[in-house]
Amino acid sequence: MDYHAFLADFPDTYLGVGPADAPRIALTFDDGPGAATPALLALLRDVRVKASFFCVGTAVARRAEVIAEIVRDGHDLGNHSFSHVDATTQSLEAFWHGDVVPATVQLERLAGRPVRLYRPPYGEISPGQVRRLGAAGHTVVGWSIDPGDWSEPDAPDHVRRVIDTVVAQAHPGAIVLLHDGDDGHVVRHGILEIVRGLVPRLRRAGFEFVGVGDLLRLRERANRR
Ligand SMILES: [Zn+2]
């Protein structure tokens, strides 16, 4: 997402990477909830990993009960738009009233708490849209590692390639882009194997798993000093 250089102009609203003072890493899961999400939540409980879920309104409508489970398990919950359209094709009003607000209202009703983390579909967003989100107290969340788990999930070495990419690029404050939502009718079962293999390797490398909300609070605290 950092290919949008203008995001550097929004240091308070945009979070593309966390503070680098300690080996923390945030696993983020986009496009859900999907058919694989309940099993992913069980796996994360098993391995005691906190993560962040950026959910899409249309997917939430199909699996509303999963949102409460995400919250109950202590994960961070974010808005990934209502309909997963490229925001830069929308007017500011359509973006705000047709996409961000409906998804926020839906998620907050199910979660029972404010949802102020927003990740734009495809990372595409305009400066005016970032300004609007910031004015309403939202944080725009990007990523610092994209292992391409969305691409060719049926390739024979897909799981190993995704895991190796994350491990090779892992850095303190990293935000890792992963996907648990269905791709059309295709269920992303591979995400389970990816997480099962990835977590012990990152742990062995000394990383602690945090939510993006934790990274945001740590950054705000550092800025106040
Ligand atoms: Zn997405």
Side-chain angles (χ1 to χ4, degrees):
M1 189 159 167
D2 289 347
Y3 49 78
H4 284 311
F6 74 79
L7 287 164
D9 300 337
F10 296 92
D12 296 325
T13 302
Y14 176 62
L15 180 75
V17 65
D21 61 314
R24 306 178 196 95
I25 196 161
L27 302 183
T28 67
F29 299 97
D30 282 14
D31 300 354
T37 308
L40 175 60
L41 288 168
L43 171 58
L44 292 172
R45 282 195 295 272
D46 266 7
V47 295
R48 295 168 191 267
V49 163
K50 176 176 179 176
S52 307
F53 288 82
F54 288 92
C55 297
V56 173
T58 50
V60 172
R62 284 193 295 272
R63 291 191 171 79
E65 72 287 352
V66 178
I67 300 304
E69 195 180 345
I70 290 171
V71 172
R72 200 164 51 230
D73 284 357
H75 301 298
D76 284 346
L77 179 65
N79 178 347
H80 191 40
S81 85
F82 197 85
S83 49
H84 208 271
V85 293
D86 175 345
T88 57
T89 67
Q90 296 174 305
S91 70
L92 185 56
E93 289 312 298
F95 165 74
W96 187 253
H97 294 292
D99 222 35
V100 175
V101 171
T104 302
V105 168
Q106 175 200 43
L107 285 173
E108 292 186 344
R109 184 173 52 78
L110 293 166
R113 69 180 193 204
V115 175
R116 289 293 178 274
L117 300 169
Y118 176 83
R119 173 175 276 163
Y122 317 105
E124 292 295 346
I125 195 158
S126 73
Q129 290 165 338
V130 174
R131 210 169 289 122
R132 184 66 162 263
L133 285 157
H138 294 257
T139 297
V140 177
V141 181
W143 56 82
S144 64
I145 300 177
D146 174 9
D149 71 313
W150 43 271
S151 160
E152 298 186 48
D154 295 326
D157 63 343
H158 175 75
V159 168
R160 187 187 52 78
R161 188 178 53 78
V162 170
I163 293 171
D164 287 351
T165 302
V166 176
V167 171
Q169 296 184 16
H171 60 90
I175 300 176
V176 183
L177 176 66
L178 296 166
H179 296 80
D180 66 324
D182 303 339
D183 186 7
H185 293 291
V186 180
V187 177
R188 292 194 225 244
H189 294 297
I191 192 61
L192 299 170
E193 219 183 318
I194 289 168
V195 170
R196 207 175 284 123
L198 182 58
V199 163
R201 286 186 61 186
L202 290 174
R203 247 188 203 130
R204 271 202 300 280
F207 283 97
E208 176 198 356
F209 296 93
V210 297
V212 288
D214 298 316
L215 294 177
L216 185 62
R217 282 185 289 277
L218 287 160
R219 181 174 80 176
E220 286 169 351
R221 200 182 305 160
N223 288 346
R224 275 198 300 271
R225 275 198 210 112

